[in-house]
Amino acid sequence: MGKDVIIACDFSNAKETLSFLEKLEDERPYLKIGMELFYAEGPAIVQLLKDRGHSIFLDLKLHDIPNTVGRAMKLLDGLDVDMCNVHAAGAKAMMQAAAKNFRGTLLGVTQLTSTSEEVMREEILIDRPLEDVVREYGRNCRAAGLSGVVCSPLEAAIIHKACGSDFLTVTPGIRLAGDAAGDQKRITTPKQAKEFGSDYIVVGRSITVADNPLEAYRKCREEFIG
Ligand code: C5P
């Protein structure tokens, strides 16, 4: 699997998504459909974007009891998406139930890139260094049969060291130099993400709200892939 830039389509509906994609002219980027768009439009949005030639990462971050997640994953597998994910905090039995029922690339979310170590310790009540948590979650994901993790590019090297270079790191928390961090805490540029060894970068606002999204997308590709 080659390195790629995945655009996070954090839009409220199909109309907004399509009008954004028009700005990308002939480009057919890998797209991430998250909760907002999926809850608004349902499975039809997946089919619509697949029919237009996009690879799809369905980012629904499942986290429930193993039986429920396994059954839900079977339905998502039927949508024939390329990538999907569950929360590593759901633990191994849940992740195994998901992996059993999904044929595409299944990822575990380690710690959201909007979470700082301080918040993780004080509010999520995991009183350990963030890097240890990400590493151990990565190991659990691998043991459960997942193909990789979602983590910050700052943690990609730690994951590859603990889980192997073939274990995928899909990394949000990306900003082109000069763009606002917004709610993200553990961020890098596409160039730094490449240096840290990310396999895929997920870029939302640095492309979607750019004055020229096509230029921003190409800049991300150039920095990350070369
Ligand atoms: O706009 P921005 O580039 O911050 O968007 C990042 C995207 O990646 C959002 O869709 C967010 O839900 C997602 N994401 C994340 N951190 C994770 C997992 C997913 O930011 N750990």
Side-chain angles (χ1 to χ4, degrees), residues 80-131:
D80 203 20
V81 292
D82 301 274
M83 243 183 226
C84 201
N85 58 1
V86 296
H87 268 288
K92 276 190 263 184
M94 185 203 82
M95 293 196 275
Q96 278 161 348
K100 201 169 101 209
N101 287 337
F102 186 71
R103 289 165 299 174
T105 301
L106 187 63
L107 306 169
V109 180
T110 55
Q111 278 294 336
L112 297 174
T113 41
S114 54
T115 305
S116 63
E117 178 163 320
E118 191 188 6
V119 166
M120 188 190 72
R121 285 181 188 268
E122 289 175 10
E123 298 178 36
I124 308 178
L125 306 178
I126 302 176
D127 197 17
R128 289 179 67 174
L130 195 133
E131 289 189 353

Side-chain angles (χ1 to χ4, degrees), residues 7-9 11 15-25 29 31 204 207-209 213-214:
I7 302 182
C9 290
F11 300 111
K15 191 162 169 255
E16 266 182 38
T17 308
L18 293 179
S19 81
F20 164 73
L21 291 175
E22 259 171 42
K23 298 180 193 160
L24 299 182
E25 299 176 7
L31 299 178
I207 296 176
T208 55
V209 303
L214 179 59

Side-chain angles (χ1 to χ4, degrees), residues 8 10 32 59 61 109 111-113 150 172-175 184 202-205:
D10 291 322
K32 181 174 87 69
D59 176 24
K61 300 188 182 73
V109 180
Q111 278 294 336
L112 297 174
T113 41
V150 182
I174 304 290
R175 290 290 179 270
Q184 295 283 22
V202 176
V203 189
R205 287 162 284 184

Side-chain angles (χ1 to χ4, degrees), residues 97-216:
K100 201 169 101 209
N101 287 337
F102 186 71
R103 289 165 299 174
T105 301
L106 187 63
L107 306 169
V109 180
T110 55
Q111 278 294 336
L112 297 174
T113 41
S114 54
T115 305
S116 63
E117 178 163 320
E118 191 188 6
V119 166
M120 188 190 72
R121 285 181 188 268
E122 289 175 10
E123 298 178 36
I124 308 178
L125 306 178
I126 302 176
D127 197 17
R128 289 179 67 174
L130 195 133
E131 289 189 353
D132 286 6
V133 175
V134 170
R135 186 192 314 106
E136 295 313 314
Y137 275 173
R139 290 195 171 123
N140 288 348
C141 291
R142 172 142 217 159
L146 271 54
S147 306
V149 293
V150 182
C151 62
S152 161
L154 300 167
E155 294 136 14
I158 298 168
I159 290 288
H160 283 140
K161 191 158 171 245
C163 303
S165 56
D166 59 333
F167 196 63
L168 297 174
T169 52
V170 177
T171 64
I174 304 290
R175 290 290 179 270
L176 284 166
D179 287 353
D183 54 353
Q184 295 283 22
K185 297 285 187 282
R186 299 177 353 254
I187 58 173
T188 75
T189 63
K191 185 163 177 284
Q192 290 165 330
K194 179 186 184 180
E195 287 158 7
F196 285 125
S198 294
D199 295 293
Y200 292 85
I201 53 171
V202 176
V203 189
R205 287 162 284 184
S206 262
I207 296 176
T208 55
V209 303
D211 291 338
N212 185 334
L214 179 59
E215 210 170 81

